């Protein structure tokens, strides 16, 4: 069977590119090949089933900062198709989006099925063929032409343009290596930190703003990508297994490869008071001791911290529930300042963040022309989405990467046909 365009992968990037290709040139014969029984499975579970479509950062040069891998390469593409264009695409098709306080954007229906239905309606409208349970076994260039041949579980296919949009699929990466592409080995990217520590026992479900610094096993600040400091601020969530929340997830993405190399045995330093330093906090505590001497320490919260967290920090500083501020020694005050601004926790392992398994790794970005998302090694071989060595922090950014790549691929393909 011969097609104008074959898209391998029935996920976000695959469907979005197919729809864009058909929109620009409805005459093209397009097919999506999906190895699973269902399509758009990751869209279905993302955002807890609500589908975090994109992020309300509409400035390309700011948006790229959320991509530990791909920041430099995405700058140009985001000037072509950015989050505002994503919003317009869905609204033109009757899917209104809403912005939440943290910038994440969801369909107003709060259901990922709305996004899935939109895509399925568009593929049906344009007659885009979708073959499920179709796994690709081999990819090869057709001798004497710029076309591609695919051997699959449903027979052989041939195409003028081939788009790989399979996400983190090791089998497809192996096939791409067989045609000469370099694949950066995948490692987990979005995960939570496993921590067992009496200081957070009984605090499950508590969330508080914090600044978190990654440390190596010896307690020194961990350098990321050679020079970036592994530090992030934002809500920190205490869980049954340790720590999660935006601050932790951002660090897990930024430090994905370095933390993998440490076998997920490392330390973190937490400042529960964000940008207030140790000396400043010690001075503030000394002032409280001098002015509130008769009051019980447990009944006084000089900082805006959740009560349960404040009690745990006091206990860790060896301050008992019956102590008054006047009874707190200078050593205990210093210990309290340390626990508030420089608390060190040992991390032993990781846990996957919900069902959203994201990896750092994929086709080497040096081998891609980001003006078209075409392979620099082979003509008419294109890529979009997480099959490339691009990944982001949580918040809708990984989907935006998929939409942008898919749009640019579609533009390049239709302009060439």
């Amino acid at each position: 069977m011969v097609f104008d365009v074959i898209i391998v992968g029935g996920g976000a990037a695959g469907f979005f590119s197919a729809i864009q290709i058909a929109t620009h040139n409805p005459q093209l014969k397009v097919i999506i090949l999906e190895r699973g029984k269902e399509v758009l499975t990751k869209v279905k579970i993302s955002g807890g089933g609500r589908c975090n479509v994109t992020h309300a950062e509409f400035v390309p040069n700011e948006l790229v900062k959320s991509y530990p891998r791909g920041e430099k390469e995405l700058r140009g593409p985001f000037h072509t198709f950015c989050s505002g264009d994503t919003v317009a695409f869905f609204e033109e098709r009757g899917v209104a989006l809403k912005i939440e306080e943290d910038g994440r954007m969801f369909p107003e229906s709060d259901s990922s099925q709305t996004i899935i239905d939109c895509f399925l309606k568009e593929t049906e409208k344009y007659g885009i063929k979708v073959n499920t349970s179709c796994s690709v076994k081999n990819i090869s260039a057709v001798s004497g032409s710029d076309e591609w041949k695919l051997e699959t579980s449903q027979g052989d296919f041939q195409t003028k343009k081939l788009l790989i949009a399979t996400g983190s699929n090791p089998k497809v990466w192996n096939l791409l290596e067989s045609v000469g592409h370099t694949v950066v080995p995948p490692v987990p990217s979005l995960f939570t930190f496993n921590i067992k520590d009496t200081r957070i026992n009984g605090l499950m479900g508590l969330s508080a703003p914090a600044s978190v610094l990654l440390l190596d096993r010896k307690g020194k600040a961990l350098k990321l990508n050679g020079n970036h400091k592994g530090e992030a601020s934002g809500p920190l969530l205490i869980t049954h297994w340790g720590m999660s929340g935006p601050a932790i997830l951002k660090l897990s993405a930024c430090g994905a490869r370095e933390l993998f190399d440490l076998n997920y045995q490392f330390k973190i330093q937490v400042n529960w008071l964000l940008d207030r330093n140790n000396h400043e906090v010690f001075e503030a505590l000394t002032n409280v001791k001098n002015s509130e001497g008769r009051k019980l320490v447990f009944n006084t919260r000089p900082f805006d911290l959740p009560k349960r967290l404040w009690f745990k920090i006091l206990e860790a500083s060896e301050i008992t529930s019956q102590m008054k501020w006047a009874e707190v020694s200078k050593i205990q005050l210093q210990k309290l300042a340390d626990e508030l601004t420089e608390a060190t926790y040992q991390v032993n392992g990781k846990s996957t963040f919900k069902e959203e398994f994201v990896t750092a790794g994929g086709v080497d970005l040096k081998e891609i022309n980001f003006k078209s998302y075409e392979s620099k090694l082979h003509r008419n071989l294109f890529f979009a989405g997480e099959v490339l060595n691009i990944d982001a922090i949580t918040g809708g950014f990984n989907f935006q990467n998929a939409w942008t790549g898919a749009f640019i691929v579609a533009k390049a393909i239709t302009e060439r046909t």
Side-chain angles (χ1 to χ4, degrees):
M1 288 177 278
V2 180
F3 288 85
D4 294 306
V5 185
I6 290 179
I7 298 166
V8 182
F15 267 81
F16 200 78
S17 58
I19 293 163
Q20 293 289 346
I21 289 166
T23 303
H24 286 101
N25 188 344
Q27 306 306 314
L28 293 178
K29 196 177 175 186
V30 181
I31 187 171
I32 297 172
L33 306 181
E34 165 58 42
R35 65 172 177 159
K37 293 179 181 177
E38 294 182 6
V39 294
L40 300 164
T41 52
K42 201 163 185 179
V43 171
K44 191 173 185 66
I45 64 172
S46 83
R50 297 196 296 146
C51 191
N52 185 183
V53 176
T54 187
H55 198 91
E57 175 52 76
F58 303 106
V59 181
N61 289 346
E62 290 300 314
L63 185 61
V64 294
K65 294 176 182 177
S66 294
Y67 297 82
R69 282 147 294 274
E71 178 178 348
K72 180 182 70 173
E73 290 81 5
L74 287 172
R75 191 168 279 111
F78 281 158
H79 277 91
T80 299
F81 191 92
C82 202
S83 35
D85 301 298
T86 300
V87 175
F89 170 87
F90 285 108
E91 290 192 340
E92 284 165 11
R93 288 155 181 82
V95 179
L97 303 181
K98 61 179 180 179
I99 304 173
E100 301 209 333
E101 280 186 22
D102 58 5
R104 292 181 302 162
M105 298 192 72
F106 295 88
E108 284 188 353
S109 65
D110 272 331
S111 172
S112 57
Q113 194 60 46
T114 305
I115 304 299
I116 294 170
D117 290 345
C118 171
F119 285 163
L120 295 179
K121 182 180 176 183
E122 290 291 302
T123 52
E124 189 176 339
K125 171 183 171 182
Y126 288 107
I128 297 164
K129 195 169 171 53
V130 181
N131 281 24
T132 54
S133 301
C134 182
S135 58
V136 176
K137 296 177 178 178
N138 192 42
I139 297 170
S140 58
V142 176
S143 180
S145 76
D146 290 327
E147 297 191 1
W148 289 88
K149 179 184 174 184
L150 283 75
E151 296 169 31
T152 81
S153 57
Q154 296 179 0
D156 293 352
F157 293 80
Q158 191 165 322
T159 183
K160 296 172 183 175
K161 309 284 188 297
L162 176 59
L163 167 59
I164 307 296
T166 47
S168 304
N169 185 330
K171 289 183 179 177
V172 173
W173 279 330
N174 290 340
L175 294 179
L176 292 171
E177 285 181 318
S178 74
V179 296
H181 270 288
T182 306
V183 173
V184 178
V187 298
S189 177
L190 280 183
F191 49 86
T192 61
F193 296 170
N194 292 356
I195 299 169
K196 287 186 178 179
D197 195 299
T198 55
R199 289 172 293 176
I200 59 173
N201 283 357
L203 296 181
M204 284 75 78
L206 183 145
S207 179
S211 179
V212 186
L213 177 67
L214 289 177
L215 307 175
D216 62 19
R217 288 170 179 164
K218 294 180 180 177
K220 292 184 178 179
L222 192 61
K223 298 286 185 182
L224 305 184
N225 301 324
N227 56 8
H228 290 104
K229 197 175 181 183
E231 191 168 17
S233 297
L236 187 155
L237 174 67
I238 296 172
T239 69
H240 287 281
W241 53 87
M243 292 184 182
S244 184
I248 297 294
L249 293 169
K250 183 175 182 180
L251 288 177
S252 77
C254 294
R257 205 154 289 282
E258 291 84 358
L259 299 180
F260 173 82
D261 291 341
L262 289 171
N263 197 28
Y264 307 107
Q265 306 291 315
F266 59 96
K267 296 177 181 179
I268 58 170
Q269 186 180 91
V270 178
N271 184 342
W272 296 106
L273 302 179
L274 294 168
D275 54 356
R276 300 187 70 168
N277 64 42
N278 190 292
H279 176 73
E280 181 187 345
V281 170
F282 179 78
E283 290 295 317
L285 290 170
T286 302
N287 291 336
V288 174
K289 172 182 163 72
N290 293 336
S291 62
E292 308 285 349
R294 294 181 180 181
K295 292 184 179 179
L296 291 174
V297 181
F298 268 66
N299 289 349
T300 316
R301 273 186 295 156
F303 308 107
D304 186 22
L305 291 174
K307 189 181 290 184
R308 288 191 297 152
L309 178 60
W310 173 242
F311 289 171
K312 278 288 185 181
I313 290 172
L314 290 176
E315 287 173 10
S317 308
E318 299 175 356
I319 296 172
T320 66
S321 59
Q322 298 306 311
M323 288 182 76
K324 295 178 180 177
W325 279 101
E327 298 167 344
V328 179
S329 69
K330 187 176 180 180
I331 292 173
Q332 287 170 317
L333 274 189
Q334 185 58 62
K335 174 72 172 165
L336 181 53
D338 293 345
E339 286 294 329
L340 285 165
T341 63
E342 299 174 355
T344 302
Y345 297 86
Q346 176 66 46
V347 179
N348 293 301
K350 62 173 179 58
S351 295
T352 302
F353 176 60
K354 297 184 179 177
E355 306 91 347
E356 298 175 35
F357 187 73
V358 176
T359 59
V363 176
D364 195 321
L365 304 186
K366 295 186 186 77
E367 299 172 355
I368 307 299
N369 175 358
F370 280 91
K371 291 181 178 177
S372 61
Y373 279 70
E374 186 176 19
S375 164
K376 289 180 180 178
L377 310 184
H378 300 285
R379 185 170 168 80
N380 294 334
L381 175 61
F382 299 85
F383 301 91
E386 285 181 40
V387 68
L388 297 170
N389 184 27
I390 294 176
D391 64 284
I393 63 175
T394 185
F397 302 103
N398 282 302
F399 272 138
Q400 186 56 51
N401 168 48
W403 314 139
T404 295
F407 177 86
I408 291 172
V409 164
K411 189 167 177 282
I413 287 173
T414 51
E415 283 177 354
R416 195 180 289 177
T417 50

